[in-house]
Amino acid sequence: MTKRDEFIQGLKENIDNWNKEIEKFEVEMQKAAEKNRQQMEEQLQKLKILRDSARSDLRTLQSASEAAFEDMQKGMEEAWKTVSESFRSAFARFRE
């Protein structure tokens, strides 16, 4: 497996993990008190938008030439760190 393939596989795994966390969050949201449910729903929608954007970025990366991939990789790493932190922060806020 090439470095590029490994990088893309890692991004796919992140998206899969985010999907699992979103599913758990949706279950918790259904159990939440009404006043918390609206806030959770708003946060969930933001997370889904971030996830969908990450999927789009992944597709762009997959179709990029080798030279373009190398140029994009560093920026993608930083962007995905930000998205991952957003997920951790959102889930932690409502699980306290």
Side-chain angles (χ1 to χ4, degrees):
M1 187 178 282
T2 67
K3 182 178 175 181
R4 175 186 174 138
D5 292 338
E6 289 175 7
F7 183 75
I8 288 172
Q9 183 61 35
L11 298 179
K12 287 180 182 178
E13 289 171 5
N14 282 343
I15 290 174
D16 289 342
N17 289 335
W18 296 337
N19 285 331
K20 289 174 188 172
E21 288 297 315
I22 285 172
E23 289 174 10
K24 290 178 192 175
F25 193 74
E26 288 174 325
V27 169
E28 289 179 26
M29 187 177 68
Q30 296 303 318
K31 297 175 185 176
E34 185 63 36
K35 66 179 183 172
N36 291 336
R37 197 173 302 143
Q38 183 177 358
Q39 291 176 328
M40 292 175 83
E41 179 65 33
E42 290 170 6
Q43 190 64 41
L44 183 61
Q45 291 308 313
K46 290 176 186 177
L47 292 173
K48 287 181 177 181
I49 289 168
L50 287 172
R51 181 211 47 208
D52 293 345
S53 176
R55 277 188 189 147
S56 177
D57 290 346
L58 176 59
R59 284 191 291 274
T60 300
L61 194 63
Q62 287 174 308
S63 64
S65 69
E66 193 63 37
F69 171 81
E70 290 183 17
D71 290 341
M72 296 169 65
Q73 184 177 3
K74 181 75 171 163
M76 291 291 245
E77 288 172 344
E78 292 302 315
W80 282 60
K81 283 180 189 176
T82 301
V83 171
S84 292
E85 183 55 38
S86 295
F87 267 82
R88 279 191 295 277
S89 175
F91 294 133
R93 185 176 320 124
F94 288 105
R95 289 186 175 147
E96 293 176 344

